[in-house]
Amino acid sequence: MTMTVHVDIVSAEAEIFSGLAEMVIAPAAHGEVGILPRHAPYITTLHEGAIRLKINDKREESFYISGGMLEVQPHKVTVLSDTALRAHDLDEAAALESKQRAEHTLSDKQANFEYAKAQAELAEAMLQLRAIDKFRKITKL
Amino acid sequence: MASGKEIRTKIASIKSTQKITRAMEMVAASKMRRAQDRMRKSRPYAEKMHQVIGHLAHAHPEYKHQYMQTREVKRIGVIIVSSDRGLCGGLNTNLFKMSISAMQSWLDNSIEIDMCTIGNKATGFFKRFSGNIVATPKNLGDSPSLEDLIGSVKVMLDAYEDGKIDQLFIIYNHFVNTMTQGITKRQLLPITADEEDKNLTHHWDYIYEPEAQEVLDGLLKRYIESLVYQSVVENIACEQAARMVAMKSASDNAGDIIDELQLAYNKARQAAITQELSEIVAGAAAV
């Protein structure tokens, strides 16, 4: 009888997977990690990529995530997946835009949204391209 | 007494109002169901996140993140979640009343306030109230995504990191059931650990990858964002429920008024007939 660990994969907008698996392979910050049952407490950030679960000898499942967090307790693995694409520039642009909107509503004058908006769109496009690229590489292997 | 024609037009106009309120009631009912669904779907994430944060609070990390340290309070950040549209009973008004009383007590202790308003109603209200609004997200609509909120939350988190604010609160409507919504004021920052988990009392810590600071930064940021998202989703469910109830009572009231007017109309018509008859009879008797 092989050992299994309880795995939960959730995102802010839905529950993706909940069940037992023999092994979890995830794209962690310093490269891929394989988590087996009774792993020491471990916490890391995840890159965009595929999370693969070895359910048993015959079955394997994989989920694509765009990033998130991985928490490991000896009998429990939790993946907190991001629904939103994240990057420093992108968050910065969103914050800037939100601030400008507040100023705009307060002053009620025409403010210049264009710069923040363009920056956000550019950052998003770049991130998407990168995510697609990575996913292609992973699926090819 | 109003003439028959006047009453008839009044009845017609109230009937058309009733039609609108009834339609709005039904729209709100179906939207509420969807909003509740969304609320249910986002709950696992919030719960898991809460568990992880709970574990973290019981770990003995070599690095203590500033989100978990309490400071002396000089300035407070408040996120106020309201609806975009009105016609939902006293939902927003009650929320604003409660927000103002909370803010007043802070101001009395000479604590300054920075606000982030979510929803048109709050933005409009606190603009008039001359509050200091530092961030506001764009219109969220009925199905907000986490992405729309990141910017505004970041503004508040940055302010906390820079020491501009020392505490962060969120005020929103908490969904109990269709008839009841409760106003909730919740402290987001600094993060406070609650109940003890008995399995985790011994001394332990996580293995962090890459660095504790980086990991905690990402995790805690997501935690706050998920709390804000959950609040927004709940507030939308509340809005739809409140609107449904408000529109239902409006339709009922319109029905009552129509009944009364119908009675008045019938009476007026009967009076007119009686008068005409008595005039004819009187005329015949005179001949």
Side-chain angles (χ1 to χ4, degrees):
Chain A
M1 167 103 195
T2 44
M3 283 203 297
T4 53
V5 59
H6 189 88
V7 184
D8 286 306
I9 303 179
V10 289
S11 80
E13 283 155 28
E15 182 168 41
I16 299 167
F17 177 88
S18 177
L20 295 169
E22 282 178 15
M23 185 164 159
V24 184
I25 299 155
H30 289 169
E32 290 233 307
V33 290
I35 307 285
L36 291 167
R38 310 192 66 169
H39 193 285
Y42 172 67
I43 194 163
T44 184
T45 52
L46 296 176
H47 287 309
E48 60 269 62
I51 295 224
R52 283 177 290 149
L53 302 180
K54 207 173 149 214
I55 310 266
N56 52 37
D57 285 340
K58 286 164 207 140
R59 234 178 101 217
E60 217 178 87
E61 281 200 45
S62 73
F63 303 91
Y64 174 70
I65 59 161
S66 61
M69 307 290 303
L70 173 77
E71 192 232 5
V72 180
Q73 290 284 344
H75 299 286
K76 197 168 179 172
V77 176
T78 311
V79 178
L80 301 160
S81 145
D82 290 340
T83 38
L85 289 171
R86 308 293 299 252
H88 187 69
D89 310 355
L90 198 62
D91 287 6
E92 206 66 60
L96 194 65
E97 203 184 332
S98 163
K99 255 189 208 162
Q100 283 189 352
R101 204 174 299 108
E103 279 161 22
H104 174 78
T105 35
L106 284 182
S107 63
D108 248 346
K109 278 183 222 141
Q110 205 60 42
N112 187 12
F113 281 94
E114 299 307 315
Y115 179 67
K117 212 171 154 191
Q119 202 181 13
E121 273 167 17
L122 181 69
E124 195 168 357
M126 269 164 59
L127 205 68
Q128 269 167 348
L129 280 176
R130 219 167 42 150
I132 292 165
D133 217 38
K134 274 225 172 133
F135 192 50
R136 271 205 199 118
K137 258 184 226 154
I138 287 164
T139 44
K140 222 180 264 174
L141 287 175
Chain B
M1 197 181 234
S3 77
K5 185 142 196 287
E6 256 173 58
I7 297 178
R8 254 204 325 256
T9 18
K10 230 182 214 170
I11 290 177
S13 98
I14 291 174
K15 262 189 185 152
S16 69
T17 310
Q18 193 189 26
K19 247 182 224 161
I20 294 168
T21 55
R22 194 165 284 157
M24 282 181 79
E25 181 196 334
M26 283 188 284
V27 170
S30 85
K31 275 190 180 165
M32 185 188 74
R33 224 163 295 136
R34 247 175 295 152
Q36 270 177 292
D37 232 32
R38 209 169 304 117
M39 208 169 78
R40 225 183 2 256
K41 272 189 188 151
S42 68
R43 205 165 275 160
Y45 184 82
E47 273 167 17
K48 290 283 160 348
M49 194 56 121
H50 194 78
Q51 268 175 21
V52 174
I53 297 291
H55 290 166
L56 203 64
H58 292 295
H60 298 76
E62 72 268 34
Y63 165 78
K64 202 143 171 92
H65 198 276
Q66 56 175 338
Y67 287 177
M68 298 177 123
Q69 290 165 349
T70 40
R71 300 196 288 235
E72 195 198 338
V73 181
K74 290 196 206 76
R75 201 179 179 92
I76 283 181
V78 197
I79 300 176
I80 294 167
V81 186
S82 76
S83 65
D84 275 342
R85 266 168 279 160
L87 288 180
C88 47
L91 190 77
N92 288 323
T93 324
N94 290 340
L95 187 85
F96 296 157
K97 243 187 242 161
M98 143 83 192
S99 310
I100 287 174
S101 72
M103 280 149 86
Q104 196 57 51
S105 68
W106 287 328
L107 287 173
D108 289 345
N109 292 324
S110 64
I111 295 169
E112 286 168 276
I113 298 163
D114 276 346
M115 273 190 284
C116 165
T117 53
I118 299 176
N120 287 341
K121 288 285 160 188
T123 312
F125 181 83
F126 286 102
K127 197 171 118 194
R128 263 176 283 131
F129 185 67
S130 73
N132 182 21
I133 304 176
V134 294
T136 175
K138 63 182 168 214
N139 284 357
L140 296 172
D142 292 326
S143 50
S145 69
L146 193 62
E147 257 165 318
D148 302 330
L149 295 169
I150 288 174
S152 308
V153 176
K154 189 174 164 56
V155 172
M156 296 315 258
L157 292 181
D158 282 352
Y160 186 83
E161 276 167 28
D162 296 345
K164 280 187 208 140
I165 57 173
D166 307 302
Q167 264 184 332
L168 181 61
F169 284 93
I170 187 164
I171 301 177
Y172 67 102
N173 281 295
H174 160 78
F175 188 88
V176 184
N177 57 40
T178 316
M179 301 302 290
T180 340
Q181 294 93 32
I183 299 164
T184 308
K185 187 179 97 184
R186 184 169 186 174
Q187 183 176 332
L188 294 180
L189 286 176
I191 294 165
T192 46
D194 39 20
E195 76 277 8
E196 287 279 324
D197 193 337
K198 285 180 188 65
N199 301 325
L200 295 168
T201 43
H202 61 285
H203 192 94
W204 65 281
D205 193 15
Y206 283 109
I207 304 166
Y208 297 94
E209 194 182 299
E211 289 299 317
Q213 184 180 356
E214 222 169 297
V215 174
L216 290 182
D217 251 1
L219 184 69
L220 296 179
K221 211 173 268 176
R222 281 174 178 79
Y223 176 61
I224 302 292
E225 279 163 8
S226 89
L227 286 179
V228 174
Y229 176 75
Q230 186 73 20
S231 315
V232 169
V233 171
E234 275 205 28
N235 197 71
I236 287 172
C238 287
E239 177 197 348
Q240 300 301 349
R243 178 167 300 133
M244 193 181 86
V245 173
M247 287 302 119
K248 184 166 173 43
S249 74
S251 310
D252 292 350
N253 287 345
D256 288 349
I257 292 176
I258 288 171
D259 285 348
E260 268 168 39
L261 285 176
Q262 193 69 52
L263 194 67
Y265 172 71
N266 288 347
K267 271 187 185 158
R269 195 182 55 127
Q270 198 57 53
I273 292 168
T274 313
Q275 192 184 355
E276 213 171 292
L277 266 179
S278 65
E279 271 165 18
I280 291 167
V281 171
V287 174

